[in-house]
Amino acid sequence: MKRLEGLMRRAIQEYDMIRPGDRVCVGVSGGKDSLALTIGLARLREYIGIPFEVIAVSLDPQFGGRPTDYSRLEELFSSYNVPFHVVRSNIGHVVFDVRKEPNPCALCAKMRRGLLHTTAQELGCNRVALGHHLDDAVETFYMNLWGEGRLGCFSPVSWLSRRELYLIRPMILATENQVQTAAASLSLPIVKSPCPVDGRTKRQDTKDFVTDMCARDPAFRQKMLGALRGADLDGWGPGSDPMGRSK
């Protein structure tokens, strides 16, 4: 876990992700990434030298009309003095029963994103932290290249002017394996996704490609990271301003 915290600390400092007095809302799906992110931030606030608050939020789509049991997460976050809020919604019903989406991921993600931003505002947060790591960034780059014919990726820090919220991704310098190792070291209680299409998405195909490339070249992820930072693609260059201002 200390290795992951070190990488998170580096990202936070290099990209100016968190400032004194910030109230950070962490979107918690229940998977290893969001749990490691939440606990990492909770531990970092004790010694990083930046006073900030951490609040965990789980948005339950209630797939199949069934609420998800987050009781184990409630116990976990309580032990780290992290307030935890569960927001039940009808997103699962809308996506699969009403709209009957053949490719449901885009609509589901859009609805969850909107609900997370609204919840963050209601809780008085000015930052929303997401559990994306380096593997996610590499996969997103190739999905944009192959699917849309453009060079692009999500940003380490994004400013949502309409919401007056910053989106931050403190784990972007860590690989998925490093996140998984950190989660396992603390035996974090994973809540398996009840989504009907979990593991059967286009992203999974890209994930398999990245895994294959890394097997051929163990430095593949780090080379991609160097390319993203060197080109300052979508704010990946250290010191980039998410609001587009020169420094």
Side-chain angles (χ1 to χ4, degrees):
M1 190 67 195
K2 289 184 177 180
R3 172 58 174 163
L4 178 60
E5 289 173 34
L7 292 169
M8 290 174 61
R9 180 176 188 170
R10 178 182 163 196
I12 289 171
Q13 293 174 334
E14 288 190 0
Y15 293 100
D16 193 23
M17 290 185 177
I18 299 177
R19 297 181 178 180
D22 280 344
R23 191 172 169 90
V24 182
C25 172
V26 186
V28 178
S29 66
K32 68 181 188 311
D33 301 337
S34 59
L35 294 186
L37 171 63
T38 307
I39 302 308
L41 288 174
R43 290 165 57 123
L44 275 173
R45 68 183 173 181
E46 302 301 323
Y47 64 85
I48 197 174
I50 305 173
F52 67 96
E53 298 178 62
V54 180
I55 298 174
V57 172
S58 287
L59 308 176
D60 184 9
Q62 300 191 98
F63 294 116
R66 296 183 297 274
T68 302
D69 180 8
Y70 294 106
S71 57
R72 291 190 300 164
L73 301 191
E74 186 173 2
E75 295 174 4
L76 171 68
F77 297 144
S78 177
S79 68
Y80 283 91
N81 295 316
V82 173
F84 180 45
H85 300 266
V86 176
V87 180
R88 309 287 182 185
S89 75
N90 65 346
I91 291 177
H93 173 66
V94 172
V95 172
F96 289 100
D97 302 325
V98 178
R99 294 283 295 270
K100 301 184 186 299
E101 289 286 322
N103 299 302
C105 296
L107 177 60
C108 184
K110 181 178 180 179
M111 295 180 69
R112 289 165 65 103
R113 186 164 55 245
L115 182 55
L116 178 60
H117 297 167
T118 297
T119 302
Q121 289 178 304
E122 292 174 347
L123 293 173
C125 298
N126 64 324
R127 311 243 169 187
V128 173
L130 303 176
H132 296 128
H133 44 63
L134 181 56
D135 288 57
D136 291 322
V138 175
E139 292 159 17
T140 298
F141 174 86
Y142 280 102
M143 289 178 72
N144 287 334
L145 178 62
W146 296 335
E148 302 177 24
R150 67 180 180 88
L151 299 179
C153 188
F154 55 68
S155 302
V157 180
S158 302
W159 168 245
L160 306 181
S161 58
R162 292 184 179 180
R163 296 279 191 171
E164 295 190 337
L165 287 172
Y166 282 97
L167 293 186
I168 62 174
R169 295 174 167 91
M171 298 199 304
I172 55 168
L173 301 183
T175 65
E176 182 171 19
N177 182 258
Q178 288 170 325
V179 174
Q180 186 171 16
T181 298
S185 71
L186 296 180
S187 299
L188 297 181
I190 307 301
V191 176
K192 181 173 173 52
S193 172
C195 175
V197 297
D198 185 41
R200 295 187 284 114
T201 64
K202 291 182 179 179
R203 178 170 288 274
Q204 184 62 47
D205 294 337
T206 311
K207 182 183 289 289
D208 293 341
F209 163 78
V210 173
T211 298
D212 180 61
M213 291 300 297
C214 290
R216 301 182 187 185
D217 179 5
F220 179 72
R221 295 182 185 87
Q222 295 304 319
K223 289 177 180 177
M224 284 296 305
L225 173 60
L228 290 171
R229 288 162 66 90
D232 192 13
L233 185 66
D234 291 328
W236 275 78
S240 295
D241 188 335
M243 298 178 74
R245 302 168 300 196
S246 59
K247 293 190 175 182

